[in-house]
Amino acid sequence: MQAITSGAAPVYFNEQIYSEITRYIEQYSPSSVVILTDDNTYADCLPLLLDQINFPMEPNILVMPAGEAFKTMEVTVSIIDELSNLLTDRKALMINLGGGVVTDLGGFVASIYKRGITYINLPTSLLAMVDASVGGKTGVDHGMLKNQIGVINNGAMVGVDIDYLATLPENQMRSGFAEIIKHGLISNKDYWSAVRNFDPGTMEGLDVLIRDSVVIKSDVVLEDPTEKGLRKILNFGHTLGHAIETYSLESDVMDDLLHGEAIAVGMVMETYLSVKRFGFPESSLYDLMNLVRSYYRKVSFPENALEEINTYMLHDKKNVGGRVNFVLLEDIGVHKIDQTIDPELIKEAFEFYVNEV
Ligand SMILES: NC(=O)c1ccc[n+]([C@@H]2O[C@H](COP(=O)([O-])OP(=O)(O)OC[C@H]3O[C@@H](n4cnc5c(N)ncnc54)[C@H](O)[C@@H]3O)[C@@H](O)[C@H]2O)c1
Ligand SMILES: [Zn+2]
């Protein structure tokens, strides 16, 4: 599968990754190699990586606890301590092998350790493959706030090997697919139709779907690396979706949602807003609803959920000057960024999901 070399960090696919990493190590000649994993990718993914590459020196393997709860400064500092104890110098190479938590935190550590060492992302979750590992955003959560601390800094390359997905739990697979659906809505009709026609039963064509998704993300990032404008389209479905995700995690009366499960709900609501505000085609809204129904269970909201979701939206870090900013669509691939929405219409969109999906 052809590499993507237009972005700030080239993206290689499947077997080619390992020859590229080997070549990179030969050329760059790092003083040491550090591989960051989490508990799960240490057990499930590291053997595959070590099988594929003959490292010229024994790599140092670091393991962090798995999960978003550990994407913190405390874990960052503990990894930095481990690097110091290993006498890791500025010419070390760090390889982040894991989901978005490992690539975000590992990229951040690599960006600040001794003012920065070079790093490679090897995403192992679907979400990290099509989203988190590409684009150079690194960082950790702090207090209640997600991605509160971080830098934008690209690694030397990204390697997407779908063989890692064999051990990814099914709910994580579906969660990651939400970003593929998002890329379908914000890109063009061809990709949207490829997403709709994908059969998760056979998984046929998943590699092409992932590659095209990476192209979509990397093209957007290339045009707007620091999120001044266009990059905001990657937040489609995330204004409501992210508030719904946070609410589900904070509330005792609702089941926790995975990121993609919440984003799927957010995308339905924000597509509804797009229909009402910009005449987005209703038929595509119904296509989206069918897709969402086929991948995700219907989310039931407790009474008064919307009030709290609204409060979480006010804390969205993408807001400017206290305004809640939405990205909406006029059609598949036609964007309207920085939109404010009347609370009554948000209520309508919420009820639309509750009553119609
Ligand atoms: N930097 C960005 O641009 C960007 C974009 C989107 C999301 N993110 C971040 O990504 C994170 C979410 O990423 P995620 O969904 O990958 O979460 P994650 O890293 O927590 O991975 C999900 C779970 O799957 C496990 N796992 C991963 N790969 C596996 C495999 N191949 N086999 C078995 N288990 C595996 C992990 O150990 C974890 O338990 C969030 O912190 C989010 O903020 C960053
Ligand atoms: Zn997302």
Side-chain angles (χ1 to χ4, degrees):
M1 183 149 299
Q2 210 183 341
I4 303 169
T5 49
S6 56
V11 185
Y12 298 101
F13 293 90
N14 305 332
E15 323 68 67
Q16 199 192 353
I17 299 163
Y18 305 106
S19 52
E20 286 299 330
I21 295 180
T22 304
R23 192 161 65 181
Y24 183 80
I25 291 176
E26 272 165 25
Q27 277 171 1
Y28 182 66
S29 190
S31 52
S32 65
V33 175
V34 179
I35 303 176
L36 178 66
T37 61
D38 70 17
D39 302 318
N40 298 320
T41 64
Y42 176 79
D44 294 333
C45 306
L46 185 64
L48 198 156
L49 171 62
L50 295 179
D51 235 25
Q52 296 287 337
I53 300 185
N54 250 329
F55 288 99
M57 67 286 270
E58 192 70 26
N60 298 302
I61 315 291
L62 305 184
V63 190
M64 65 175 278
E68 185 74 28
F70 298 97
K71 205 178 96 170
T72 59
M73 278 311 279
E74 289 71 26
V75 174
T76 302
V77 170
S78 76
I79 301 287
I80 288 174
D81 282 338
E82 289 194 64
L83 293 176
S84 305
N85 292 340
L86 290 164
L87 304 178
T88 308
D89 66 23
R90 290 178 61 187
K91 199 141 190 241
L93 166 66
M94 183 147 164
I95 298 180
N96 302 316
L97 179 72
V101 167
V102 169
T103 58
D104 273 15
L105 185 142
F108 182 52
V109 167
S111 303
I112 60 173
Y113 180 72
K114 291 191 188 280
R115 299 202 180 92
I117 60 176
T118 185
Y119 76 92
I120 291 174
N121 277 343
L122 290 184
T124 60
S125 70
L126 183 57
L127 186 138
M129 289 181 187
V130 298
D131 197 348
S133 68
V134 180
K137 281 191 179 176
T138 75
V140 295
D141 306 331
H142 190 59
M144 297 271 293
L145 300 168
K146 252 181 83 95
N147 303 323
Q148 183 74 350
I149 302 170
V151 296
I152 296 183
N153 172 40
N154 275 284
M157 68 178 89
V158 178
V160 176
D161 183 350
I162 65 167
D163 282 355
Y164 291 118
L165 295 177
T167 53
L168 186 70
E170 217 240 289
N171 61 345
Q172 294 289 349
M173 192 75 189
R174 269 185 283 119
S175 173
F177 202 80
E179 307 294 349
I180 293 185
I181 296 176
K182 178 191 78 181
H183 288 156
L185 290 165
I186 64 171
S187 63
N188 59 69
K189 288 184 177 150
D190 285 349
Y191 189 65
W192 174 233
S193 116
V195 172
R196 285 198 299 126
N197 292 327
F198 176 71
D199 176 359
T202 65
M203 292 280 173
E204 210 183 304
L206 181 64
D207 52 348
V208 180
L209 210 59
I210 291 175
R211 184 184 183 278
D212 290 349
S213 210
V214 175
V215 171
I216 291 163
K217 167 135 193 201
S218 108
D219 282 355
V220 169
V221 171
L222 193 64
E223 222 168 291
D224 178 19
T226 54
E227 199 160 318
K228 300 272 186 295
L230 184 70
R231 190 166 181 163
K232 293 180 183 171
I233 67 171
L234 297 171
N235 297 325
F236 182 75
H238 281 61
T239 305
L240 272 154
H242 193 225
I244 290 168
E245 180 186 5
T246 311
Y247 172 67
S248 80
L249 301 177
E250 298 296 324
S251 147
D252 306 328
V253 283
M254 188 180 164
D255 291 346
D256 288 0
L257 295 175
L258 290 176
H259 178 71
E261 293 170 336
I263 296 311
V265 179
M267 286 193 291
V268 170
M269 293 180 186
E270 293 182 18
T271 303
Y272 178 88
L273 296 176
S274 300
V275 171
K276 293 291 159 179
R277 278 290 297 275
F278 296 109
F280 180 91
E282 227 165 304
S283 59
S284 300
L285 168 63
Y286 285 95
D287 290 342
L288 170 67
M289 281 160 65
N290 284 333
L291 203 55
V292 166
R293 281 192 198 108
S294 71
Y295 280 93
Y296 309 96
R297 68 196 155 90
K298 170 88 183 263
V299 174
S300 317
F301 290 98
E303 232 177 287
N304 302 330
L306 183 57
E307 265 168 52
E308 299 204 32
I309 291 166
N310 275 326
T311 311
Y312 286 116
M313 276 202 290
L314 284 171
H315 291 293
D316 194 314
K317 69 178 181 310
K318 297 179 289 289
N319 295 342
V320 181
R323 288 183 0 161
V324 178
N325 271 327
F326 285 85
V327 180
L328 298 180
L329 298 171
E330 200 172 270
D331 201 344
I332 302 293
V334 187
H335 326 110
K336 296 277 183 186
I337 59 172
D338 293 336
Q339 300 299 324
T340 43
I341 299 287
D342 187 52
E344 269 310 302
L345 193 56
I346 294 178
K347 186 159 178 260
E348 226 182 85
F350 187 80
E351 282 166 1
F352 178 78
Y353 175 86
V354 171
N355 297 323
E356 303 293 330
V357 173

